[in-house]
Amino acid sequence: VDPTASAGAKLLGLAPLVISGINYRDWPVPFVYCNSYACRKRNEDATNYCTYKTLALAPMDANNAGEVLRMQRFKAYVEERYPVVTNWTATAGGGGGLPFEYDFIQIFESNDELTEYVTSENYGEWDEDGKYLPKVAIGV
């Protein structure tokens, strides 16, 4: 139950449910969004109410070898520094990281390709080939 709800709302059962450990009013994590309004009962597993966004990398100029190399180095840095978000199956036997069903870091050939992706009809949904097109939290 929302700890900021009034005593009357709590008493009458009108206070919204919240997900433990997530302050929905101040959640600074752009890659994870959990919808506590989808919860229907106390102590419910809220995993199905969470969506995970990606980090998109794209060079401004795909023909510039220096930009492409810098993008690849940044990807390698993130993968090494934060294995919990980039390698779900290798962290704690598959249970220690974020449950991405796709690559956390999405690589695009160019900035134009990234723009096409985020403006596509199936953005954030499943495409006709059964592939999920996750939303982008941050594009670099």
Side-chain angles (χ1 to χ4, degrees), residues 72-91:
Q72 292 168 342
R73 286 181 177 163
F74 182 71
K75 179 182 186 287
Y77 168 79
V78 172
E79 290 172 335
E80 182 180 324
R81 181 78 171 104
Y82 305 102
V84 72
V85 296
T86 60
N87 193 351
W88 165 245
T89 57
T91 56

Side-chain angles (χ1 to χ4, degrees), residues 30-98:
F31 300 107
V32 181
Y33 171 73
C34 296
N35 183 0
S36 61
Y37 294 108
C39 295
R40 298 290 171 239
K41 61 184 178 184
R42 287 177 179 262
N43 299 319
E44 180 179 7
D45 180 1
T47 305
N48 292 332
Y49 308 136
C50 296
T51 57
Y52 305 93
K53 299 179 182 178
T54 65
L55 170 63
L57 302 179
M60 290 298 289
D61 179 1
N63 297 319
N64 184 324
E67 283 188 27
V68 173
L69 180 61
R70 184 171 44 245
M71 179 186 69
Q72 292 168 342
R73 286 181 177 163
F74 182 71
K75 179 182 186 287
Y77 168 79
V78 172
E79 290 172 335
E80 182 180 324
R81 181 78 171 104
Y82 305 102
V84 72
V85 296
T86 60
N87 193 351
W88 165 245
T89 57
T91 56
L98 296 174

Side-chain angles (χ1 to χ4, degrees), residues 1 3 7-8 17 19-21 25 30-32 50 61 67 82 119 123 130:
V1 175
L17 296 171
I19 298 171
S20 301
R25 295 176 195 257
F31 300 107
V32 181
C50 296
D61 179 1
E67 283 188 27
Y82 305 102
T119 57
Y123 180 62

Side-chain angles (χ1 to χ4, degrees), residues 1-18 24-25 36-37 39-40 42:
V1 175
D2 185 349
T4 64
S6 69
K10 289 178 184 178
L11 181 65
L12 296 172
L14 301 174
L17 296 171
V18 295
Y24 69 95
R25 295 176 195 257
S36 61
Y37 294 108
C39 295
R40 298 290 171 239
R42 287 177 179 262

